Amino acid sequence: MKLNYRRTFLIGLAFLSISAFWQMYDNIIPLILQGTFGLGETITGVIMAADNVLALFLLPLFGSLSDKVDTRMGKRMPFITTGTILAVVFLMLLSVADRTVNLPLFVGALFILLISMGLYRSPAVALMPDLTPNKLRSKGNAIINLMGAVGGVYTLIMIKLLVGKGEHPDYMPLFISVAALMVIAVGVLAITINEKKVKGRVEAEIRAYEEKAGVIVETEDIAEEMQEKAAMPKEVKRSMMFLLASIFLWFTAYNAVTTAFSRYTKVVWHLEGGGFADCLMVATVAAIISYIPIGNISSKIGRKKTILGGIILMSLCYAAAVFATAYHPVINVAFAVIGIGWAAINVNSYPMIVEMSKGCDIGKFTGTYYTFSMTAQIFTPILSGFLLENVSYKTLFPYALVFSVLAFITMLQVHHGDARPDKKKSVLENFDVDD
């Protein structure tokens, strides 16, 4: 049985649109809140944390609802198309509110925009496993991650090209470019992928494969019911808690930098317009390129050592950035190293969670992983924003350094889940990482 690459790339268009939006949101919305509306760092941090607060409720809610509905378009596509349409409408309203300096309209549109994105994020992620045989989902997820990276890089390029210099640049061209990509991507998906027909075709392929192989493969639901769920040993539970603490800490460090970086470069490095996008683009591309060698490294030295190496790389770059008083091209090298370090962490942390939860409830601990990572992304914009506003913008990289070092310390206490992963059978499997 082989993966249908064309179909999987088309399915990945939904995730491409999502990634393009969030790249724009994280970098541009803080600039508008401060540059256009004059809000302080703390209030900006609170608003920037709102998407993660809403996500804690919206993602499981709409994911569960999409499991239960049954329409002519399928289970997931109604959520994906409706969410995209609403998101594009309110994204355009944001640019109108920015141009007219209308704060109530901006906040109202932003709130509904975040709900619209929450409406289709879980269904979009669930579409790939719905339409891909179980044995091929690893390769399928690799393609989905690649499509997401393409969406993020597209937005960074648009920021570089379309965001002008000055105190109050016009962001409408950027918003239009992102909205256009979202509409085109999801439009192509809706036209080319008939969810119900593809679902039936995949089930027929699985039955044909089983008959040809002379085996009967249990459904996932039956397999889960038959799996014996054992209590997690005490020492493993201790490692799990330290790993979850590490996840919270390194997300606290990294997300503070990505959320505040566009403002930091303007205040401290005096970069104008979309110049800050260069560093973020370098980090993203470096992470993508490094997946394959990181997979090879972790197969030789283990996941824990690879993660610790990634934390060290990021910590060294945070420490070096403390002394950077102006932008210099060498900073791009540092951000490439940050991207490599972040990839080393992401490639190996979730598999360690899965490894430790074997024989228990894997689904439960997958949810716990997201709870800790998203809680950090709620917490850190508020705390780091308070420090930026009331102490100094120069607290950003020391802040990231402190939490990164703390993550290194807690990670040292993790003594389970370090089974060395098998080397990937194909290049694409090296991109199969958690978001």
Side-chain angles (χ1 to χ4, degrees):
M1 188 178 294
K2 295 182 179 181
L3 181 69
N4 187 318
Y5 286 98
R6 175 185 176 275
R7 184 171 67 208
T8 308
F9 274 110
L10 291 171
I11 292 170
L13 288 171
F15 194 63
L16 180 147
S17 73
I18 292 171
S19 298
F21 169 83
W22 288 114
Q23 187 72 262
M24 182 276 300
Y25 175 87
D26 287 338
N27 290 293
I28 300 302
I29 299 303
L31 294 177
I32 294 176
L33 291 172
Q34 293 187 326
T36 302
F37 300 110
L39 300 183
E41 288 289 350
T42 304
I43 297 300
T44 298
V46 171
I47 294 175
M48 291 305 295
D51 67 299
N52 294 299
V53 175
L54 288 172
L56 288 175
F57 303 97
L58 296 178
L59 298 190
L61 171 63
F62 288 117
S64 177
L65 286 176
S66 69
D67 284 334
K68 299 173 182 177
V69 303
D70 186 16
T71 71
R72 289 194 303 172
M73 294 180 68
K75 297 192 299 182
R76 317 295 183 188
M77 287 304 298
F79 290 88
I80 295 172
T81 54
T82 302
T84 301
I85 292 170
L86 290 173
V88 166
V89 170
F90 287 98
L91 181 58
M92 290 298 94
L93 278 178
L94 279 188
S95 63
V96 172
D98 175 48
R99 276 188 167 184
T100 59
V101 196
N102 188 330
L103 183 58
L105 175 61
F106 187 88
V107 173
L110 183 63
F111 179 74
I112 302 176
L113 173 60
L114 293 176
I115 292 177
S116 302
M117 293 302 299
L119 176 68
Y120 84 99
R121 185 172 180 177
S122 287
V125 172
L127 185 62
M128 186 278 291
D130 275 355
L131 304 183
T132 306
N134 187 40
K135 291 179 178 294
L136 302 175
R137 288 174 185 168
S138 179
K139 290 183 179 179
N141 196 43
I143 292 175
I144 300 301
N145 278 280
L146 283 171
M147 296 294 282
V150 169
V153 171
Y154 168 86
T155 298
L156 290 173
I157 293 173
M158 291 301 103
I159 290 174
K160 177 74 174 174
L161 296 177
L162 300 178
V163 176
K165 297 181 179 180
E167 287 295 319
H168 303 290
D170 184 6
Y171 295 108
M172 184 170 282
L174 172 65
F175 282 26
I176 291 174
S177 70
V178 173
L181 178 68
M182 294 172 69
V183 170
I184 293 170
V186 174
V188 171
L189 170 64
I191 293 170
T192 56
I193 299 295
N194 185 314
E195 184 182 341
K196 298 198 81 168
K197 287 185 178 180
V198 173
K199 180 69 173 175
R201 194 178 302 134
V202 169
E203 291 174 350
E205 290 173 359
I206 294 173
R207 285 194 297 270
Y209 174 79
E210 291 172 355
E211 291 174 2
K212 184 177 180 180
V215 297
I216 298 176
V217 180
E218 295 176 313
T219 66
E220 292 180 3
D221 291 338
I222 295 175
E224 288 177 3
E225 291 175 3
M226 294 181 65
Q227 182 182 12
E228 182 180 356
K229 294 181 180 179
M232 181 177 288
K234 185 177 180 180
E235 63 276 11
V236 178
K237 185 179 293 185
R238 180 181 182 276
S239 288
M240 175 71 79
M241 294 312 299
F242 274 108
L243 178 55
L244 291 171
S246 302
I247 290 167
F248 174 86
L249 291 167
W250 63 54
F251 266 98
T252 297
Y254 184 75
N255 190 251
V257 173
T258 57
T259 301
F261 188 66
S262 58
R263 292 163 285 160
Y264 180 90
T265 58
K266 188 173 184 178
V267 173
V268 179
W269 293 349
H270 307 294
L271 284 180
E272 296 293 335
F276 66 89
D278 287 344
C279 296
L280 299 180
M281 197 183 312
V282 167
T284 302
V285 173
I288 294 172
I289 295 173
S290 66
Y291 286 149
I292 295 174
I294 284 172
N296 292 331
I297 291 171
S298 59
S299 69
K300 295 177 181 179
I301 68 174
R303 294 170 179 147
K304 177 180 174 179
K305 289 181 179 178
T306 306
I307 289 175
L308 290 172
I311 297 174
I312 290 173
L313 290 176
M314 297 183 75
S315 298
L316 290 173
C317 291
Y318 293 151
V322 172
F323 302 99
T325 57
Y327 175 79
H328 189 278
V330 75
I331 291 173
N332 289 328
V333 177
F335 269 83
V337 175
I338 288 176
I340 294 169
W342 189 240
I345 291 170
N346 271 340
V347 164
N348 294 286
S349 56
Y350 179 69
M352 290 188 75
I353 293 282
V354 173
E355 185 72 26
M356 280 189 267
S357 60
K358 280 184 177 178
C360 304
D361 194 337
I362 293 176
K364 172 185 173 182
F365 287 102
T366 300
T368 304
Y369 172 90
Y370 280 109
T371 298
F372 274 75
S373 63
M374 294 183 70
T375 300
Q377 295 175 73
I378 294 169
F379 162 80
T380 198
I382 299 173
L383 177 58
S384 62
F386 176 83
L387 294 174
L388 293 175
E389 180 178 14
N390 294 282
V391 182
S392 169
Y393 270 88
K394 294 182 179 180
T395 61
L396 179 61
F397 285 106
Y399 174 96
L401 176 61
V402 168
F403 281 99
S404 191
V405 170
L406 290 174
F408 184 87
I409 294 172
T410 54
M411 193 64 204
L412 288 174
Q413 304 303 313
V414 178
H415 302 299
H416 298 82
D418 196 24
R420 295 181 182 179
D422 295 333
K423 290 185 177 181
K424 306 300 184 183
K425 295 179 180 180
S426 70
V427 170
L428 278 172
E429 291 183 14
N430 287 280
F431 293 91
D432 184 21
V433 297
D434 182 65
D435 298 315

